[in-house]
Amino acid sequence: MSNFFDVFRDLSSPDVATRSKSATSLIALLDDSAQADIDYAFNRLLKGLCSGRAGARQGYATGLTLLIQKLSSSTPPSPHSSPSTLLTTLTTITTPPPSCKKGMEIRDYHFGLLFGLLAISKSGVLNEVGQDVAAAYVNSALSLYSTKKWLRETSIYAVSFILSALSSSVRSSTISSVVAPWLKSTDPLITPETLLLSLECSLTPTPLTPKFITDHSSALISTSSSFPRLHNVWPALLDAIFSSPDPKPALDALWNKVVTPLMSNSTHERKAVPLLLLPTLTERLTEETVEIVFNQRTVKLMLNSANSETRNKALLMEIGKKCLEDVKAKASEKTPQVKFKLATSVLAVDIKFDNKTRVPLTSSLLTSLDKESALFYLNFLEDGIIRSSAALASLAEEGEEGEEKKRLERGKCLAFVEALYLASKLFKGDDSKEGTDGKSEAVTKKVYSFLLAASFFDCSEATAPKDEAPSGKKKKKKSKTAAPLAPLDPAVAAAIKIKTVLPFPVRSLAMSRVFSLMADLTNSPSIKVSNEKYQETHAMWVAIEKSGCKLVRDELDEDAMKARLIASKMNMIAKKMETSASPRQAKAADAIANLTMALTLQLLNEGKDESVGGMMMLDDEENLDDEVCDTVVDLFKASKNLLGVEDEEDDSDMKEQVEEEEEVQDFDPMAIVADVCIGVLNMNTSSSNRGASVRALRDSVKRCWGGVLQINDDVLGPDCVKVLKEGVCGEDEEEEEEEE
């Protein structure tokens, strides 16, 4: 018998598992027990519902539910399982005695009735009751509504739970005979609870209209009193709104008339309602409704709450962080279109949203986008760069008063540029795997093309190329059926989209990111792959110029144009030697072409800074141009000797220079290549904002030196050794004295 009483003690345990185990043990102990034991257990469970100890109400309600289920299934059924008897006994036990005057004691009796009604409903015995008994249960729950305001929501929940336990016919008749008249009697005073019951019983207009939302706006705004919990009316209201074929009108009214006032100059309790509501809404969002919910005001609330570190906002920050995590989890199950709209709606307000909140909301949504949606995202970022750049340019003539505006707009521009660059990393993947759609390559090419055009070119006069007939030939008549247009070069398309010269800060950061991307793209174990990427970049350069764009830097001089021509020639030589030379020579040609192309791209820079009076290109950039041009010429001369190539179209100036410097002809070409490689490694490319250009050049030097070494079987002549020694250790003191 001691175990029997221990079970009742454990029913009050704060631990859920202990209470559940105890309730199950109680039912097992009552098997084949005397009726007196069953009566004792029944009465004690009912009285325990009014206990305020720890988890007593929950534990005793669980035990009561299991006991009623056991008694109702016995043969014959126990009188204790009769629904009418149960209600009578429960009402008697939970009615406060006249001597009870303390508020806390009365509260315990009210909660005892509430938990008892829920326990009986959950047992399943109400499924076969008639309308009279059902009405008695509903009225008993409704009686709690008028006792205390804090009991309103739970009493309505109990009514809904009781109705769900009835048969469909009894439920319908009970709603029409009990619930509807009761709601009508409370009509002048609309509360969230009466609205909840109307929604649960389908007593509201279908579909919900904007007018209905407006009429109930005050009641919905008052739900902040349930802080820090979301009132039960909200899920029911959202279900009713989104059950409509077109939820937009009602949702728009809800957001403008209810949610927006909750966010505007409100207490933390009121601001918490939208934050608690957003995860529930995210589950139901469609592509058409994203922009209604995640508008500028909503995103700012999310940002400010999750980013609040002051002491008086600590609670709101906790809710804000949880809101973002829940929205991220719910949105991960949505379609790519919804993910794209949600991410761009957030980023349109603040492109650094994830960094500021420290929650990867947008990045997690964007990573899972398909190719089409990913490209749409890039268009969104490109539009942001162009729009912000235009706004920044419009502030150029403002004085010191506009400095703060300039700073903010400049920050926005650079954030969009950085986001575009990071998109190439965000969507990076293995396109060789089955089932992929080439998303990674398409994204990287689009990002690279846009940044290339934005960094180095004035795109004001960019136009699409036109197909023209060669001079001296008549144009063919156009056929009635127009031929499909050839796809536009992505770099030209980017230039046409930009259609201006972007501000210097934008060009400077974009240039840094272009060179960083270039280093990543050309960093391949295969020289062939690396050369292809460099060739694509040079082809983009040419295509952009042909579209009418001009470099933002000073015009390239004759030496620079010669360097570009040499890079093109060296590339053609390498391609020709693939079939006409030995594998070693072909590899060396590829390696030299690789370094030549990498060097020539160093001629590109972001130009002058218009904000400081239009200064010409800095001296260090002019020096870099000279170094690049001289290095390319020396490398080309040495490569012809090494590879045994005769260039019929060699420049006459170059021939004269070689004839005048006879000592160069007798000098070891390997020594010249060594000198070139050392010079490139010492080249000052870090003076400008060139990102990872140093890494790209070093990789090209490594390829070049490794390629030419194979020609001589890794054997170095004395001249080459001397150059390497001087490059590493410096000139000997004796040699310096002789030169003096």
Side-chain angles (χ1 to χ4, degrees):
M1 185 59 69
S2 59
N3 288 337
F4 185 69
F5 291 107
D6 289 342
V7 165
F8 287 102
R9 184 192 63 217
D10 291 340
L11 283 175
S12 301
S13 171
D15 182 60
V16 177
T18 303
R19 292 199 304 266
S20 299
K21 183 179 179 181
S22 179
T24 306
S25 300
L26 173 63
I27 302 306
L29 288 171
L30 290 174
D31 285 339
D32 302 324
S33 296
Q35 184 62 40
D37 292 337
I38 295 175
D39 293 341
Y40 173 82
F42 180 75
N43 287 305
R44 182 160 181 181
L45 288 172
L46 283 172
K47 291 178 181 178
L49 297 174
C50 300
S51 172
R53 284 184 54 203
R57 270 188 284 269
Q58 294 91 326
Y60 280 85
T62 303
L64 181 62
T65 300
L66 295 177
L67 180 57
I68 294 172
Q69 288 176 341
K70 177 181 176 62
L71 297 177
S72 63
S73 61
S74 63
T75 306
S78 170
H80 291 309
S81 65
S82 169
S84 57
T85 304
L86 282 169
L87 181 58
T88 302
T89 308
L90 176 65
T91 305
T92 302
I93 291 175
T94 58
T95 300
S99 60
C100 181
K101 295 182 179 180
K102 291 184 179 180
M104 292 185 66
E105 292 179 359
I106 295 175
R107 181 201 65 180
D108 289 339
Y109 281 104
H110 290 327
F111 275 129
L113 175 59
L114 181 68
F115 274 79
L117 292 172
L118 293 172
I120 296 169
S121 301
K122 195 169 185 179
S123 68
V125 295
L126 298 183
N127 187 46
E128 298 180 358
V129 299
Q131 184 179 337
D132 293 341
V133 176
Y137 272 88
V138 171
N139 282 321
S140 181
L142 288 174
S143 67
L144 292 170
Y145 180 87
S146 58
T147 55
K148 297 290 182 182
K149 282 187 176 181
W150 45 265
L151 268 175
R152 286 180 176 179
E153 187 178 359
T154 50
S155 64
I156 296 303
Y157 174 80
V159 172
S160 299
F161 199 88
I162 292 169
L163 290 172
S164 66
L166 303 174
S167 63
S168 58
S169 59
V170 174
R171 181 179 186 275
S172 299
S173 60
T174 304
I175 289 173
S176 60
S177 63
V178 179
V179 177
W182 182 86
L183 285 172
K184 191 174 181 180
S185 67
T186 62
D187 188 63
L189 181 62
I190 300 175
T191 66
E193 292 75 28
T194 57
L195 175 58
L196 170 60
L197 189 55
S198 299
L199 291 166
E200 293 282 358
C201 297
S202 302
L203 297 175
T204 55
T206 305
L208 294 185
T209 62
K211 183 179 183 306
F212 179 87
I213 299 295
T214 304
D215 292 343
H216 291 77
S217 58
S218 298
L220 291 168
I221 290 173
S222 69
T223 57
S224 59
S225 60
S226 63
F227 176 84
R229 179 183 55 80
L230 188 65
H231 197 285
N232 286 330
V233 71
W234 285 105
L237 181 63
L238 294 179
D239 285 339
I241 290 175
F242 282 92
S243 64
S244 168
D246 183 16
K248 289 180 66 177
L251 183 62
D252 189 57
L254 179 69
W255 219 252
N256 291 326
K257 300 297 183 181
V258 180
V259 180
T260 300
L262 284 167
M263 292 188 282
S264 306
N265 301 321
S266 302
T267 62
H268 293 164
E269 288 77 8
R270 297 182 75 177
K271 287 180 179 178
V273 175
L275 294 174
L276 295 168
L277 185 61
L278 284 172
T280 307
L281 254 172
T282 304
E283 282 185 298
R284 298 165 169 82
L285 280 182
T286 61
E287 188 177 356
E288 294 75 23
T289 56
V290 171
E291 293 178 351
I292 296 175
V293 175
F294 289 91
N295 57 25
Q296 185 176 14
R297 197 180 284 268
T298 306
V299 175
K300 283 188 175 180
L301 174 65
M302 295 163 62
L303 179 62
N304 294 335
S305 60
N307 197 32
S308 301
E309 296 182 355
T310 55
R311 185 175 180 181
N312 63 337
K313 294 183 178 179
L315 182 58
L316 196 61
M317 181 179 180
E318 183 180 345
I319 295 174
K321 289 281 189 184
K322 188 175 187 309
C323 167
L324 293 180
E325 293 289 354
D326 290 345
V327 167
K328 184 181 75 170
K330 303 292 185 184
S332 65
E333 302 172 1
K334 307 302 288 186
T335 63
Q337 292 76 15
V338 173
K339 290 179 183 178
F340 168 73
K341 281 219 168 184
L342 176 53
T344 52
S345 296
V346 171
L347 293 173
V349 177
D350 196 319
I351 195 68
K352 293 184 177 180
F353 186 90
D354 285 6
N355 291 340
K356 290 182 178 180
T357 60
R358 298 187 180 92
V359 177
L361 172 61
T362 59
S363 57
S364 65
L365 296 176
L366 295 170
T367 304
S368 58
L369 294 181
D370 56 18
K371 178 181 176 181
E372 183 180 4
S373 298
L375 295 178
F376 275 128
Y377 172 63
L378 298 186
N379 287 333
F380 163 78
L381 295 177
E382 292 171 0
D383 292 340
I385 294 172
I386 296 169
R387 184 174 57 253
S388 299
S389 297
L392 180 60
S394 67
L395 299 171
E397 297 182 1
E398 292 196 14
E400 295 182 0
E401 297 177 356
E403 284 302 319
E404 182 62 18
K405 291 182 181 178
K406 290 180 186 177
R407 185 186 67 80
L408 293 174
E409 204 61 51
R410 187 185 303 114
K412 190 184 295 186
C413 288
L414 300 183
F416 271 108
V417 173
E418 189 67 19
L420 184 63
Y421 167 70
L422 291 176
S424 64
K425 312 289 184 184
L426 186 66
F427 297 110
K428 191 173 183 179
D430 188 359
D431 287 337
S432 63
K433 292 182 179 179
E434 293 184 7
T436 58
D437 54 359
K439 176 175 68 175
S440 178
E441 182 180 355
V443 166
T444 302
K445 190 168 187 178
K446 185 171 174 62
V447 171
Y448 189 56
S449 301
F450 185 89
L451 292 178
L452 187 73
S455 307
F456 308 121
F457 295 94
D458 178 354
C459 306
S460 303
E461 299 181 8
T463 56
K466 297 179 180 179
D467 294 331
E468 296 183 0
S471 57
K473 294 185 180 181
K474 294 182 179 180
K475 293 182 179 180
K476 293 182 180 180
K477 293 183 179 180
K478 294 182 179 179
S479 61
K480 293 183 179 180
T481 305
L485 296 174
L488 198 61
D489 185 283
V492 175
I496 294 172
K497 184 175 185 178
I498 295 170
K499 205 63 179 178
T500 186
V501 55
L502 297 179
F504 178 81
V506 178
R507 300 200 306 268
S508 182
L509 179 60
M511 180 178 78
S512 170
R513 299 303 176 245
V514 162
F515 279 113
S516 295
L517 269 177
M518 186 190 302
D520 293 337
L521 292 172
T522 57
N523 184 24
S524 171
S526 169
I527 296 179
K528 297 287 185 186
V529 174
S530 180
N531 281 0
E532 287 175 4
K533 297 303 178 183
Y534 276 126
Q535 290 162 17
E536 288 178 9
T537 305
H538 279 272
M540 288 180 184
W541 183 354
V542 173
I544 293 174
E545 287 183 323
K546 285 185 177 180
S547 71
C549 299
K550 297 179 181 179
L551 289 172
V552 290
R553 57 155 290 163
D554 291 341
E555 186 177 353
L556 294 179
D557 59 17
E558 185 178 347
D559 290 339
M561 296 304 294
K562 184 188 297 183
R564 290 183 66 185
L565 179 62
I566 288 174
S568 177
K569 286 181 179 179
M570 193 64 237
N571 191 39
M572 289 188 291
I573 290 172
K575 286 185 177 180
K576 185 177 180 180
M577 295 191 74
E578 289 180 4
T579 55
S580 62
S582 66
R584 288 186 177 184
Q585 284 184 312
K587 185 175 181 180
D590 282 333
I592 295 171
N594 188 276
L595 180 55
T596 306
M597 288 187 288
L599 281 167
T600 310
L601 290 173
Q602 299 301 315
L603 296 170
L604 295 171
N605 64 57
E606 76 275 44
K608 56 192 177 183
D609 186 354
E610 302 86 354
S611 64
V612 291
M615 293 175 59
M616 298 299 289
M617 188 173 59
L618 299 176
D619 291 340
D620 52 8
E621 288 293 339
E622 293 179 349
N623 294 335
L624 179 61
D625 282 1
D626 294 339
E627 286 186 72
V628 167
C629 294
D630 293 343
T631 303
V632 169
V633 170
D634 290 344
L635 184 59
F636 185 57
K637 287 187 287 187
S639 66
K640 290 195 298 181
N641 195 323
L642 276 171
L643 302 174
V645 176
E646 292 293 336
D647 186 8
E648 297 178 358
E649 299 179 2
D650 202 355
D651 190 272
S652 58
D653 292 340
M654 194 184 300
K655 287 182 179 180
E656 292 177 5
Q657 185 178 356
V658 174
E659 290 173 358
E660 291 175 1
E661 300 176 359
E662 295 179 357
E663 67 274 10
V664 173
Q665 293 179 346
D666 299 329
F667 204 70
D668 183 1
M670 284 291 293
I672 297 178
V673 175
D675 187 50
V676 164
C677 290
I678 292 171
V680 173
L681 293 177
N682 293 327
M683 195 174 286
N684 184 20
T685 59
S686 60
S687 59
S688 184
N689 194 12
R690 294 178 179 269
S693 62
V694 175
R695 175 162 59 89
L697 281 176
R698 285 177 178 172
D699 289 343
S700 292
V701 167
K702 183 179 178 181
R703 296 186 194 100
C704 179
W705 185 244
V708 297
L709 272 179
Q710 293 186 11
I711 294 179
N712 289 348
D713 295 324
D714 296 343
V715 177
L716 301 179
D719 290 338
C720 185
V721 172
K722 180 181 178 182
V723 170
L724 292 173
K725 180 181 176 183
E726 290 176 354
V728 175
C729 306
E731 295 184 357
D732 293 337
E733 293 183 1
E734 294 180 0
E735 292 180 357
E736 290 179 358
E737 291 176 359
E738 290 177 2
E739 289 179 1
E740 291 178 358

